């Protein structure tokens, strides 16, 4: 075993170094030991230690065998860091530019990629058309739940928040359960108080999806024959992406902050009305008769005033929305066939793997949502929940081109010979490998086969 390793180190050194007197090796004080291996003299010559530690074997930084050895040591030490691996290799070898070489080698470790991969970032999307068009209040509504709130009798309740996507108006209701039937009760009260919305935005909660399914089962042909109500369009944001519903999530945060301040207070404030109002009579029939003559005029003035306030609010609110230009440092362009790590609630080592099968572009042409194929089925995930592993799986068209095009051996990347004797090197200084290319082999499924490279020593 030791003789085989000595032959390998000599082959590597003969192909990488000319002599021990090279300019780049002068500061290392190299010499040739009795077996013909290049070694260096360290500062530990007077220590009673192993010979390899005092006279380390000199190795280059750009040889494929050195990189394979680094990866073997890295996996043997239960994927460790750069400093630990460099200290372990230093006990036997002196690798030129060791830190840079080790960092480059362990970048291909799949175990480390699962823990070091970072999710990409994407530029913020512009506001949707439903939030910018001139519409009635609560015509486009976002719904979400906050809680739970623990009542005095020990039961729990949740706050259902309805917010207008255009004018930011808020309507609150209470619900005692998260089931679909319990949610439809406050939803009915909201429609009676604020009017029937046209578009509803929610997350993928079971009570929201159940309500949408229940409304889809209704016989709308019969309803349209009796009434003139329009069907509610229910829109869901992608799974595991709460920032897509930021216009109601922000109000949920404000609601919780206010509730924390007022729920613990049980004092009733004193007001002037408790002391100054002694007269119980409050009717004004005479003033009502005077005002009835100008009722239509007052009604038109109220409509005009409400319209002016609505336009003023929209113009000032939308005018304050500046461009959200966050600097994105980790940009990654996904392609169909990329293998990614899907973020979940489990530990990172147990996150599932998936393959990108479809890129979904927004109206501005930016991809923010992709379709992932896993062993459980297809999923929709935002790219912020995906961690690319820099591994691609070619589709059928690319594979067909790979089969019909030039073989892998013709590219000069893997020189393979069917005759082992042709790979036996000349142990002289000028020995070189002269392989003979072989035709490309393909499996029954059409997948290109790579013949492993071997060193016939």
């Amino acid at each position: 075993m030791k003789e085989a390793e000595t032959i390998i180190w000599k082959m590597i050194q003969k192909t990488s170094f000319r002599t021990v007197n090279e300019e780049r090796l002068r500061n290392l004080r190299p010499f040739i030991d009795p077996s013909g291996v290049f070694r260096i003299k360290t500062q530990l010559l007077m220590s009673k230690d192993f010979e390899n530690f005092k006279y380390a074997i000199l190795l280059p930084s750009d040889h494929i065998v050195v990189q394979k050895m680094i990866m073997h040591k890295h996996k043997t030490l239960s994927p460790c860091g750069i400093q630990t691996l460099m200290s372990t290799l230093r006990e036997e070898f002196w690798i030129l530019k060791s830190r840079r070489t080790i960092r480059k080698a362990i970048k291909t470790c799949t175990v480390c990629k699962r823990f070091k991969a970072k999710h990409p970032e994407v530029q913020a999307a512009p506001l949707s058309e439903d939030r910018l068009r001139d519409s009635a209040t609560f015509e486009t509504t976002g719904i979400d739940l906050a809680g739970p709130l623990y009542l005095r009798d020990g039961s729990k309740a949740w706050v259902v928040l309805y917010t207008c996507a255009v004018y930011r108006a808020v309507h609150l209701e209470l619900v005692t359960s998260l089931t679909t039937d319990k949610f439809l009760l406050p939803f009915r009260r909201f429609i009676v108080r604020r009017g029937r919305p046209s578009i509803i935005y929610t997350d993928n909660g079971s009570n929201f999806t159940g309500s949408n399914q229940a409304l889809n089962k209704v016989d709308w042909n019969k309803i349209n024959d009796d009434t003139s109500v329009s069907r509610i369009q229910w829109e869901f944001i992608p799974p595991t992406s709460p920032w897509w519903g930021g216009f109601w999530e922000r109000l949920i945060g404000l609601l919780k902050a206010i509730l924390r301040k007022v729920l613990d207070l049980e004092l009733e404030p004193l007001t002037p009305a408790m002391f100054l109002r002694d007269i119980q009579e409050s009717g004004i029939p005479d003033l009502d008769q005077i005002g009835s003559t100008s009722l239509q005029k007052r009604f038109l003035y109220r409509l005009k005033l409400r319209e002016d306030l609505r336009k003023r609010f929209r113009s000032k609110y939308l005018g304050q929305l500046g461009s959200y230009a966050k600097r994105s440092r980790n940009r990654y362009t996904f392609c169909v066939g990329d293998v990614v790590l899907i973020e979940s609630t489990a530990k990172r080592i147990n996150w599932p793997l998936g393959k990108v099968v479809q890129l979904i572009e927004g109206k501005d042409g930016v991809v923010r949502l992709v379709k992932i194929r896993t062993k459980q089925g297809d999923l929709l995930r935002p790219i912020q929940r995906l961690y690319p592993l820099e591994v691609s799986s070619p589709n059928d068209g690319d594979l067909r081109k790979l089969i019909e095009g030039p073989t892998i051996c013709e590219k000069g990347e893997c020189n393979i010979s069917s005759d082992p004797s042709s790979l036996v090197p000349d142990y002289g200084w000028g020995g070189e490998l002269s392989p003979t290319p072989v035709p490309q082999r393909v499996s029954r499924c059409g997948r290109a086969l790579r013949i492993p490279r071997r060193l016939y020593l």
Side-chain angles (χ1 to χ4, degrees), residues 157-419:
W158 287 264
V159 179
V160 186
L161 183 140
Y162 302 85
T163 176
C164 177
V166 180
Y167 302 107
R168 316 296 289 132
V170 176
H171 178 87
L172 303 178
E173 292 284 349
L174 281 178
V175 63
T176 58
S177 177
L178 297 179
T179 60
T180 301
D181 297 335
K182 293 294 184 179
F183 168 73
L184 290 177
L185 296 178
F187 184 60
R188 181 191 295 268
R189 295 194 296 268
F190 165 74
I191 293 178
V192 172
R193 290 285 305 275
R194 305 299 180 183
R196 184 182 181 88
S198 300
I199 304 174
I200 292 179
Y201 284 91
T202 61
D203 55 20
N204 293 269
S206 58
N207 45 8
F208 300 138
T209 56
S211 302
N212 184 39
Q213 293 174 2
L215 293 176
N216 291 334
K217 295 178 181 179
V218 175
D219 187 4
W220 284 96
N221 295 327
K222 183 177 179 180
I223 294 178
N224 292 331
D225 294 339
D226 300 335
T227 61
S228 60
V229 296
S230 58
R231 189 171 182 174
I232 297 178
Q233 180 182 352
W234 211 300
E235 300 288 345
F236 296 96
I237 63 175
T240 69
S241 55
W243 59 89
W244 285 53
F247 73 93
W248 67 72
E249 294 289 351
R250 176 56 180 161
L251 295 179
I252 289 290
L254 294 177
L255 172 64
K256 290 180 178 179
I258 295 174
L259 289 179
R260 291 190 187 99
K261 297 177 181 179
V262 301
L263 286 182
D264 294 335
L265 300 178
E266 299 182 357
L267 300 177
E268 184 178 358
L270 297 177
T271 62
M274 296 180 179
F275 305 97
L276 300 179
R277 186 172 179 177
D278 296 332
I279 303 176
Q280 302 298 325
E281 181 63 35
S282 58
I284 48 173
D286 48 353
L287 298 180
D288 292 339
Q289 186 177 2
I290 296 174
S292 61
T293 56
S294 59
L295 180 62
Q296 184 176 5
K297 182 179 179 181
R298 295 290 300 177
F299 178 72
L300 295 177
Y301 174 74
R302 181 181 177 184
L303 292 180
K304 182 178 181 301
L305 184 63
R306 185 178 65 177
E307 188 66 23
D308 292 342
L309 290 175
R310 177 180 297 177
K311 291 182 179 180
R312 183 178 177 183
F313 174 79
R314 285 194 73 247
S315 62
K316 288 190 174 183
Y317 172 71
L318 295 178
Q320 294 177 356
L321 296 179
S323 59
Y324 185 72
K326 182 180 178 181
R327 180 178 296 179
S328 300
R329 297 182 178 180
N330 188 18
R331 288 288 182 89
Y332 182 83
T333 303
F334 284 96
C335 300
V336 175
D338 287 354
V339 179
V340 297
L341 200 63
I342 305 174
E343 182 180 351
S344 65
T345 56
K347 292 184 178 180
R348 185 159 181 153
I349 191 64
N350 298 324
W351 285 0
L353 292 174
K355 175 184 174 183
V356 178
V357 296
Q358 184 182 358
L359 304 176
I360 302 175
E361 295 184 354
K363 293 184 178 180
D364 55 349
V366 179
V367 177
R368 298 181 180 89
L369 187 67
V370 296
K371 189 175 183 180
I372 307 295
R373 179 159 298 167
T374 62
K375 61 180 181 180
Q376 286 85 11
D378 294 348
L379 304 174
L380 287 177
R381 288 294 182 270
I383 67 172
Q384 288 91 336
R385 298 296 187 190
L386 303 179
Y387 292 73
L389 297 178
E390 299 180 2
V391 179
S392 299
S393 176
N395 52 26
D396 296 338
D398 296 337
L399 183 59
R400 191 177 298 108
K401 293 179 180 179
L402 182 62
I403 298 173
E404 296 176 354
T407 61
I408 298 177
C409 296
E410 294 175 356
K411 297 179 182 179
E413 297 178 356
C414 59
N415 297 324
I416 305 169
S417 175
S418 59
D419 185 11

Side-chain angles (χ1 to χ4, degrees), residues 126-135 165-166 314 318 321:
L127 295 178
S128 61
E129 184 181 358
D130 295 331
R131 295 192 60 187
L132 300 176
R133 61 189 180 90
D134 191 7
S135 61
V166 180
R314 285 194 73 247
L318 295 178
L321 296 179

